[in-house]
Amino acid sequence: MEGGGGSSNKSTGGLAGFFGAGGAGYSNADLAGVPLTGMNPLSPYLNVDPRYLVQDTDEFILPTGANKTRGRFELAFFTIGGCCMTGAAFGALNGLRLGLKETQSMPWSKPRNVQILNMVTRQGALWANTLGSLALLYSAFGVIIEKTRGAEDDLNTVAAGTMTGMLYKCTGGLRGIARGGLAGLTLTSVYALYNNWEHMKGSLLQQSL
């Protein structure tokens, strides 16, 4: 019996040594001062230093000199693509509405379906081209202004929107340039106000107190 118990203890010790459980563990005093933020208390019998399990830093590595937030150049691709897709969808719906309206006196037949399909395709391409061109101009002006000023704030947004409207309507003369610039200034100002609404409301509450 003793021989069997000795062999069992020996085999258990061998397995424990193989898995690293037979080494010297950490005492309760060592584990008492270890911060376990966001973690449940670990068992003192685990042969693992809990300090290596606490992750106070980000889990990703950024290239040297890179920012944690995407700049205007990275967002330009998303902006242009999103505007093109939005314009195509809106144009398709508008083309469907116009096609049904123009062919309401015609019976359902192949010529009517072809005419509706042509209207949907034409309007979708038109609106996708329009919104895509505006997004391209806005993104280009935003990147240029950001690189020139060396800062990224709402002033870049408003300036880029104003210049986009002025350039897009430059074929309409001075009046067209003024209208385009005013439209771009208004839209981007509303967008900037919407983004900073919570911050402005908090500042007003602090001032009132």
Side-chain angles (χ1 to χ4, degrees):
M1 296 297 291
E2 293 180 358
S7 61
S8 176
N9 293 335
K10 184 176 180 181
S11 61
T12 304
L15 291 175
F18 179 79
F19 288 104
Y26 292 91
S27 63
N28 293 332
D30 295 334
L31 297 176
V34 177
L36 299 176
T37 305
M39 299 175 57
N40 295 326
L42 296 178
S43 173
Y45 300 102
L46 291 176
N47 192 21
V48 178
D49 190 349
R51 288 174 294 184
Y52 295 110
L53 302 179
V54 179
Q55 297 179 354
D56 295 332
T57 58
D58 297 330
E59 298 182 0
F60 54 89
I61 301 175
L62 293 172
T64 304
N67 297 324
K68 292 185 178 181
T69 58
R70 292 181 293 179
R72 285 187 177 270
F73 183 75
E74 290 81 7
L75 292 174
F77 301 97
F78 171 78
T79 303
I80 297 172
C83 288
C84 287
M85 296 177 63
T86 303
F90 178 79
L93 293 177
N94 188 41
L96 179 61
R97 180 185 64 85
L98 294 176
L100 292 175
K101 183 179 179 180
E102 292 181 0
T103 60
Q104 60 183 353
S105 59
M106 298 174 57
W108 283 106
S109 58
K110 187 175 181 180
R112 185 183 183 185
N113 295 336
V114 171
Q115 188 171 350
I116 294 175
L117 183 60
N118 291 337
M119 186 66 67
V120 169
T121 305
R122 190 181 304 113
Q123 289 292 319
L126 176 63
W127 280 95
N129 185 29
T130 301
L131 293 185
S133 300
L134 289 173
L136 177 61
L137 293 176
Y138 171 77
S139 301
F141 280 127
V143 172
I144 293 173
I145 295 174
E146 179 186 7
K147 298 301 181 181
T148 302
R149 296 182 63 236
E152 172 56 30
D153 50 19
D154 293 327
L155 181 60
N156 297 348
T157 301
V158 176
T162 304
M163 297 177 66
T164 298
M166 294 174 64
L167 183 60
Y168 188 76
K169 289 295 184 179
C170 64
T171 57
L174 294 178
R175 183 173 297 180
I177 293 175
R179 290 179 178 177
L182 181 60
L185 176 64
T186 303
L187 292 177
T188 50
S189 298
V190 172
Y191 176 74
L193 182 63
Y194 173 77
N195 283 340
N196 296 287
W197 179 251
E198 294 296 333
H199 177 70
M200 295 174 59
K201 188 166 60 175
S203 300
L204 292 176
L205 289 177
Q206 292 180 357
Q207 292 179 1
S208 63
L209 295 177

